[in-house]
Structure formats: structure tokens, C-alpha cells
Amino acid sequence: METSVTTASEGRVWGGGNRPLGASYGKLMMWFFIVSDALTFSGFLASYGFSRFKFIETWPIADEVFTHVPFFHGNYPMYYVAFMTFILIMSSVTMVLAVDAGHKMIQKKVILYMFLTIIGGAIFVGSQAWEWATFIKGDYGAIETKGGRILQFVKADSGERAALADFAKTIPSDRIDHERRNGVWFYQDKALPSYTVNEVTEGLLANPNILIRTETITESGDKQLLTREESLTRIKDAKEVVEGANLIHNEYGSRLFADFFFFITGFHGFHVFSGVMINIIIFFNIILGTYERRGHYEMVEKVGLYWHFVDLVWVFVFTFFYLV
Amino acid sequence: MAHEHKLEIFRGLLKFKSNIQKIWGVLVFLTIVTAVEVGLGITKPDVLTANTFIGMKILNWIFIVLTLVKAYYIAWDFMHLRDEKNSLRRAIVWTPIFLVSYLIFILLYEADYIYTVFRDGFVTWDF
């Protein structure tokens, strides 16, 4: 039905000026960009899948990694990410409402809805920053072995995770943080963790209630818990104390998990940030009446497309990082 | 520009009176889907994690299908693909679907092979 539209202009097909897709130049270009950007994100998520399938038996369980909610103590897996998702969908809704008001040329409403959209985006970016900070800071701390595997600690009686501070011994020793100013200017040591390997090992030996948990995922879908004897043998492989996550070490498990987390959510966060910036520019244009004079609000529609795309990507990131 | 909007979703099952109503309706639907996802993600029912379908837990299939459902409604109603011409819509939707399916297939298949190499090889990775 709709595909036969071109018949009307059949007489002057060669003269140019046809719009077979029925979309303006700007909108079409925005769609071009969105499709190519979608392919970029798909590449990232597919490579995440690649690494995950490669280490399918040892990949971290997202529920155990993202368990915090700001201003609340305790273990609340996923609630905060769900909230973030809702905020982003909500800001998408205000964006559609702005586009709708733009079609009807109601400037006041466009201003209001654009403002709400910007607020939603800002809340989302802020939440993501908080999520990053929490992830980088870390939770319980862990031990990295010579082979680069992560050993975490669990209290045998309650089954809860044990933080290093709960059991590590304090052994007085001189540890000096080697900073850039103390030696050759380009050489700087990593910041020292709160405990040495020796302190953690001694703490484990002295505390019969502590068991080691490895990265391996068992049949039941939980991480493998070693017995007390196995734990005592395993701790001998310890090489480093890891607290939090960065691009090289990750207390939650596979370091690739942290790398992809920073890369994909970072790239998405950067999109949201630029989206907010573009929205602000358009917002001021609306207030100045630029589109009122132009006679249409198509610009709002175009940034709207971008904004919804950011939301769309988040839906996928949410699924593949936090749910699956 | 498409000024007229198609106001029914779910293949005509639900028809809205105005575009604004449709937007809120879609929001309600997306919120429900997200709530279901989060609920399943927190409870992780044993029935869904114990059984697999083509090498993946049923639970994960549910997540992926629900994600695609959400993506459909965001693209169709928020990005108003529903109101665009068929040709534009098809060009936008099928190009990535084709390319991404191919990419996913080839990467995951290769990753699974590498996994078996790690598992069955003569090099120990856990020490």
C-alpha cells in the first residue's frame, strides 16, 4: 500500500527531487548514524559474549557484583540498575512527548518536556558514575594467585562473604608506597592494598571459620567453595591482594569482566552524556524560539531519535551485563 | 514528516485514542516487562535455570526475548518506525539484524571452540 507512493511522480523520476523513503535529509542521516552506531555497540556486546563463552565456567555472576544501592546498606542485587533503566525509559517518554508537542507547535510544552528529559539523562549519568565508583572501590577484597585467578573468602558458618578486614591479621612491617617523586620519574608502583598477602594468609590460618571460594561455577550455578583443607593448600598460590577493580586486576573474578564493564558502560555513558549536551543545546534553541520561526520542530525529532537510541542500547547492555 | 500516527499496538489488540495516550501505554508495557525481568533475575526460579534450550538456560532465553520485545516497542513507538514507510523501516531493521546475527554466530561458535581448547588442552590455567 505505502510502497506504491512513487507512481504519482512517475513522470519526473529522472528529474530528481523524489523522496522515496518519505523522510527528510536530516532524519535519514540520523538513521544512518544510528544504524552504524548500533553495529558498533553490537560489536562490543558480541565480543563480550565471545570472552564470556571462552571463560564460561569462571565468569563472574553479575548478581554478586552489583549489589549496592546508594544510601542503603546491605545486599540488594540489581535494584539500582533496574531503577536506572526505568529513569532512562522515563526520559525517553518525556522525549516522545516533547516531539509530540513539537508537532502541535506548542512551544511551552516542548520546553517543559525537554527539560525533564535533560534531568532524566543527568540522573542516569550520575547513577552510572556512582556505579563505576562502587565497582572500582570494591567490596570484600580478594587474593590473586600466580596464575591470575581470583580467590575470595567466605564465612563457613553463615555462608556470607568475608571481607579481608574481617579476618586478616595485622603484622607490623614497613611498606613504602613507591611514588613517582621518589625514584626515576617515569616509574611508579601501584598503590598499596590495605593488607599484605602475608597478613591475609596468616589471618586465614588463624581463623578456622574462613573458607576460600574460587571462580569456578559449579553445576548448581554457584561459585565453588573449597573445604578448609583445600583452602589451606590453595592460599599458598597467593601472589597479590586485590581490592576493587581496574583494567588489570579485578577482585570480582575475570579481569575481562571489568575491562568490558568499563568499556561498554563507559561508551554508553559517553553517548548519554553527549545526548544530554545536545539536548541542552536544542533546549536553549527552543526557548529562543528558533524552531517557532523555522515553522517546524524537526530538530527535536532528530535529537529524539538519538536519545531513544541511547535508551535502546541500554536495554541490551542491561540484559547482557546484569541479567543473563 | 509523518504527522499522522498509527495508534494501535499488539497488532490492533489495543487501540489508543491519541498519540500521547499511546506513549503512556507503551511506557506501562515497558515497565511491566522490565519488572518481570528484574523479578526473574532476583528470584532465578530453579525450573528455568535447570533446563536448557540449544545450550542456554531457559531463563536466559526469556531475558533475551523480553529484551527484543522491549527493543521493538522502543523502536516502533518511541522512534516512531511504526509511522515510517515500509522501505525505510526494513532498511533500518533488517540490515543490523542480518549483520549482527552473523557476527554473534561466528564469535560465539569460535569462543566455544577456544573454551574446549582451554579445558582439554595440556596447559594448566589455574595455579
Side-chain angles (χ1 to χ4, degrees), chain A residues 1-3 5-6 19-24 27-28 31 34-35 38-39 42-43 46-47 49-57 61 63 77-79 82 85-86 89-90 92-94 96-97 99-100 103-104 109 113 145-149 214 216 221 234 237 296-298 301 304-306 308-309 311-312 315-316 318-320 323-324, chain B residues 1-3 5-6 18-21 23-24 26-27 30-31 34 37-44 49 55-57 59-61 63-64 66-68 70-72 74-75 77-93 95-97 99-100 103-104 106-112 114-116 118-119 125-127:
Chain A
M1 169 184 98
E2 284 159 303
T3 41
V5 169
T6 39
R19 292 168 67 181
L21 296 178
S24 70
K27 251 174 85 175
L28 216 49
W31 274 114
I34 287 173
V35 169
L39 292 175
S42 310
S47 56
F50 176 84
S51 300
R52 186 170 175 170
F53 270 55
K54 205 166 133 184
F55 300 110
I56 194 86
E57 278 179 343
I61 299 169
D63 277 11
M78 300 226 296
Y79 288 102
T85 311
F86 181 73
I89 292 180
M90 200 58 216
S92 240
V93 167
T94 54
V96 201
L97 291 172
V99 174
D100 188 76
H103 277 314
K104 294 172 188 151
K109 275 196 168 177
Y113 288 133
T145 68
K146 291 174 201 141
R149 303 275 75 87
T214 67
T216 314
R234 200 64 220 270
D237 297 332
H296 58 81
Y297 279 85
E298 207 197 54
E301 197 175 336
L305 284 179
Y306 177 73
H308 299 313
F309 169 70
D311 181 23
L312 188 70
V315 166
F316 283 91
F318 175 62
T319 301
F320 291 111
L323 290 178
V324 167
Chain B
M1 272 197 304
H3 275 286
H5 296 283
K6 294 183 184 158
S18 72
N19 192 38
I20 293 181
Q21 271 197 2
I23 295 165
W24 289 109
V26 171
L27 170 71
L30 290 178
T31 309
T34 308
E37 281 184 332
V38 172
L40 284 175
I42 290 169
T43 55
K44 293 197 173 169
T49 49
M56 199 161 65
K57 286 175 190 160
L59 186 65
N60 289 354
W61 280 111
F63 285 146
I64 290 172
L66 288 181
T67 303
L68 292 174
K70 276 205 283 187
Y72 173 88
I74 289 173
D77 291 310
F78 288 176
M79 300 169 102
H80 43 80
L81 273 182
R82 206 187 283 280
D83 304 326
E84 302 289 356
K85 282 193 177 178
N86 281 339
S87 46
L88 178 62
R89 196 164 60 212
R90 286 175 189 151
I92 288 166
V93 173
T95 313
I97 286 185
L99 292 169
V100 172
L103 183 73
I104 288 174
I106 209 158
L107 281 188
L108 296 192
Y109 203 79
E110 176 71 9
D112 193 51
I114 297 176
Y115 161 70
T116 57
F118 278 155
R119 191 189 53 192
W125 300 92
D126 189 5
F127 54 89

Side-chain angles (χ1 to χ4, degrees), chain A residues 105 285 289-299 302:
Chain A
M105 302 293 287
N285 271 338
T290 311
Y291 307 120
E292 205 66 31
R293 265 172 273 133
R294 195 177 284 176
H296 58 81
Y297 279 85
E298 207 197 54
M299 211 59 202
K302 280 181 268 191

Side-chain angles (χ1 to χ4, degrees), chain A residues 24 55 70 77 92 186 250 273 288:
Chain A
S24 70
F55 300 110
S92 240
F186 55 80
N250 176 9
F273 176 75
L288 293 173

Side-chain angles (χ1 to χ4, degrees), chain A residues 55-74:
Chain A
F55 300 110
I56 194 86
E57 278 179 343
T58 53
W59 203 250
I61 299 169
D63 277 11
E64 297 174 353
V65 179
F66 307 102
T67 56
H68 295 282
V69 173
F71 312 118
F72 289 94
H73 288 286

